[in-house]
Amino acid sequence: MNVQFLIQLIGLPLTLVLSILSAALFIVALILVVRFKNPQVLAAFQPLTWLPVAAGIISTFIELLSAIGLQLSDNDAIAGSSSLLFQMTLVPLLASLVATMPGLLTTVFGRYLLAWKDSGLRWTKPKASSSTTQEVDPDEWVSREADDYLEKLVRPR
């Protein structure tokens, strides 16, 4: 499917609305993740990322109503197959779902990364600097542990 045919199926106004909403929501989500770094703000912003889907649902509903009018008309050549007509009316909804993904995924992964960062968990162990750790001789450690163990055994109760 080429872009020109897709724009004809969706309509130029909805295409512009979806592209502007998608770009704006993605940029705002990116700013919220990078600058503000607040999970509560991202959680409050996440429902707004579904605005393109709301626009797609409204457009699909309007197209479904007009498709009913086409099917009820006497001109069978315009109506065509009812399943094809139904699939064509669902294309704006699919396009709106695709337009929602950048902002939604940025928000969801941003919340996940902030929660991961706040938890303190690490993928690897942090490297300890040599100035803060003391090198322990294995023989000295074994003898110290053995002495502690014998002291606990022999100690009177």
Side-chain angles (χ1 to χ4, degrees):
M1 176 183 297
N2 60 14
V3 176
Q4 184 180 6
F5 184 62
L6 182 65
I7 291 174
Q8 285 177 352
L9 279 177
I10 297 172
L12 187 60
L14 184 64
T15 303
L16 291 174
V17 166
L18 289 179
S19 61
I20 291 170
L21 269 177
S22 179
L25 291 172
F26 174 68
I27 290 170
V28 170
L30 206 55
I31 289 171
L32 289 176
V33 169
V34 173
R35 279 223 175 138
F36 292 107
K37 297 179 183 176
N38 190 344
Q40 286 83 20
V41 173
L42 284 172
F45 179 72
Q46 189 171 353
L48 289 177
T49 59
W50 291 96
L51 279 175
V53 172
I57 288 173
I58 292 169
S59 175
T60 301
F61 181 70
I62 291 170
E63 286 193 25
L64 280 173
L65 289 178
S66 65
I68 291 172
L70 280 177
Q71 288 180 344
L72 293 177
S73 70
D74 293 334
N75 192 354
D76 289 338
I78 295 175
S81 171
S82 60
S83 62
L84 177 66
L85 194 58
F86 182 67
Q87 289 174 0
M88 287 174 50
T89 57
L90 290 180
V91 171
L93 186 60
L94 178 65
S96 66
L97 286 171
V98 170
T100 297
M101 287 302 122
L104 183 66
L105 290 177
T106 304
T107 306
V108 168
F109 285 129
R111 287 180 66 192
Y112 172 75
L113 289 174
L114 290 174
W116 179 268
K117 186 178 178 183
D118 289 342
S119 70
L121 297 174
R122 302 283 177 240
W123 285 103
T124 59
K125 292 181 181 179
K127 294 180 180 179
S129 60
S130 60
S131 62
T132 59
T133 59
Q134 297 176 353
E135 295 289 329
V136 178
D137 185 28
D139 294 331
E140 179 183 334
W141 180 79
V142 169
S143 66
R144 188 176 347 124
E145 289 294 319
D147 291 341
D148 289 343
Y149 178 72
L150 288 174
E151 186 178 311
K152 288 179 185 177
L153 272 178
V154 177
R155 181 174 34 171
R157 295 183 180 164

